[in-house]
Amino acid sequence: MFTTLDPLNRALRVASAKDAAVLGQQSMTFGDFGTRCRKIAGALSGLGVDLGDRVAVLGPNSVKYLELYVGAPCAGRVVMPLNTRLAGPELEYQLRDAEAALVVTEGPLPCGEVAGMQVLSMKEWDALVDASPEEELGRGVVPEALAGLFYTGGTTGASKGVMLSHRNLLANTQNMLIAAALSPDDRYLIAAPLFHAAGSIAVLPCLWLGATQLVLPAFDPGNMLDIIASESVTVTLGVPTMVAALNDEQARQPR
């Protein structure tokens, strides 16, 4: 069975010089993406974040978010994307419930300190990764190991942590490849937030194929349509409200 490391390793074999992720004028090749993932492993070890520990991330879509989404599980840790729309007490509950070891946040953490948890800004985290040694990926990475922890909205009670193993994520990956018929030549736009399945569903499939992913920090229908046109986007995914907004914007100002 496969783990999250298999898509990364394949991308490094077949597409190392190709753009893996693009955000505006910023781009990163698959080769550089692999280097960053190995440095993420080194940074987590340097912080004392052990195998199996939860690594939370809070912020808008970005290339750095994408690195952490892939790099943490490939390094044997558990990625925990946090919903940016939650209030402080809701986030604090999830962090305590998961016993998160580290949270990387784009802005101030909107909840109190949680015992045993380290907090780094995205800027601090980026500098730490840059300065960290590369560490071999794959320690503790087996199909049955926990790879991601995704919390529900908690609309009918306390929020529940959905535990997804490497096997779960790769089953989703294979189904997405079949259902969407993605190809290495696709240019996939991540438009929904990465903390939601609509935003993250194609991350591993595109990585496995060596297909370029373009990152939209936040949904704006006009900006999204402009990027689709200017960047030759071939595939994207949005929830119904996003699609309706795109239709309205396109009718108002056709691209």
Side-chain angles (χ1 to χ4, degrees):
M1 275 300 292
F2 296 109
T3 71
T4 57
L5 191 54
D6 289 284
L8 177 59
N9 284 340
R10 185 178 186 278
L12 295 175
R13 288 197 305 271
V14 305
S16 62
K18 185 179 177 183
D19 281 344
V22 177
L23 173 57
Q25 300 302 309
Q26 177 189 8
S27 63
M28 177 179 293
T29 67
F30 283 102
D32 290 339
F33 191 86
T35 298
R36 289 284 296 184
C37 288
R38 292 190 294 272
K39 282 179 165 286
I40 283 172
L44 292 172
S45 293
L47 289 172
V49 178
D50 295 329
L51 298 180
D53 279 351
R54 280 64 163 151
V55 178
V57 56
L58 178 68
N61 294 350
S62 67
V63 174
K64 305 306 178 189
Y65 198 137
L66 206 57
E67 294 170 359
L68 196 51
Y69 186 92
V70 174
C74 286
R77 280 72 171 186
V78 180
V79 68
M80 181 181 166
L82 295 171
N83 188 333
T84 57
R85 298 163 189 161
L86 295 182
E90 294 170 308
L91 289 170
E92 182 176 359
Y93 169 79
Q94 293 180 6
L95 292 167
R96 288 186 185 279
D97 185 65
E99 299 180 344
L102 170 69
V103 59
V104 179
T105 175
E106 184 65 38
L109 190 63
C111 66
E113 293 185 8
V114 175
M117 185 184 74
Q118 302 178 69
V119 180
L120 291 178
S121 71
M122 190 65 77
K123 185 175 181 180
E124 291 170 329
W125 169 250
D126 191 32
L128 177 63
V129 173
D130 279 341
S132 294
E134 294 183 38
E135 184 175 296
E136 183 179 0
L137 299 171
R139 290 193 306 132
V141 177
V142 295
E144 295 76 19
L146 187 61
L149 186 58
F150 304 83
Y151 273 78
T152 64
T155 53
T156 58
S159 182
K160 308 295 191 300
V162 180
M163 303 170 71
L164 297 181
S165 67
H166 288 264
R167 185 190 297 271
N168 294 148
L169 290 178
L170 267 293
N172 289 343
T173 297
Q174 291 168 332
N175 286 327
M176 181 67 173
L177 287 171
I178 294 168
L182 297 172
S183 83
D185 295 327
D186 277 320
R187 291 173 64 78
Y188 189 100
L189 179 61
I190 301 173
L194 281 167
F195 64 74
H196 192 282
S200 62
I201 188 64
V203 170
L204 292 176
C206 287
L207 188 62
W208 208 338
L209 292 172
T212 300
Q213 298 183 78
L214 297 102
V215 183
L216 189 67
F219 174 67
D220 173 86
N223 187 33
M224 183 172 172
L225 287 170
D226 288 342
I227 290 173
I228 289 172
S230 65
E231 296 289 343
S232 301
V233 170
T234 58
V235 187
T236 190
L237 186 151
V239 297
T241 52
M242 294 170 67
V243 176
L246 289 172
N247 285 336
D248 290 344
E249 173 63 20
Q250 180 66 0
R252 186 185 69 81
Q253 184 181 339
R255 273 73 166 173

